[in-house]
Amino acid sequence: MESVRLTGQLLCDNLGEAAIVVQYLPVHLGLTRAENGCISFNVTPTHDPVVWQVDERFRDTASFHTHQQRVSSSEWGRATSGIERRYTITGI
């Protein structure tokens, strides 16, 4: 069984959106890292103050989909829904 990897960037339009990421990210990180099947989950700032690098790895497709479902209805999901994401997913 192959793990699922997501890599890419979270791209804010302005510093206001970046502030939303900063506000909601700590709880999002904690909840995601505690999920069954999460192998690694990192969202790190880049040299650009409105861009974050996102790297996720989940044990399998089922745990990745469970994560995606949880996030879609979470505070993080609602607060950041308008922020652009450029992701590549492998292993599905």
Side-chain angles (χ1 to χ4, degrees):
M1 182 179 335
E2 185 177 357
S3 64
V4 176
R5 292 179 185 260
L6 178 150
T7 61
Q9 296 181 322
L10 185 64
L11 301 123
C12 299
D13 281 338
N14 53 56
L15 292 176
E17 284 187 353
I20 291 169
V21 172
V22 170
Q23 177 182 350
Y24 288 92
L25 185 57
V27 170
H28 179 54
L29 287 171
L31 291 172
T32 300
R33 289 174 177 163
E35 288 178 12
N36 186 28
C38 179
I39 297 169
S40 63
F41 186 82
N42 296 295
V43 181
T44 53
T46 67
H47 67 281
D48 186 330
V50 296
V51 178
W52 277 262
Q53 178 64 36
V54 180
D55 296 290
E56 306 178 9
R57 186 169 170 219
F58 287 84
R59 179 183 61 231
D60 52 30
T61 301
S63 59
F64 177 73
H65 286 307
T66 298
H67 164 71
Q68 293 290 303
Q69 290 171 351
R70 182 194 65 78
V71 168
S72 68
S73 62
S74 70
E75 282 189 82
W76 165 266
R78 288 187 299 276
T80 65
S81 65
I83 297 175
E84 181 181 356
R85 288 147 165 89
R86 292 185 190 163
Y87 296 153
T88 300
I89 301 169
T90 59
I92 293 181

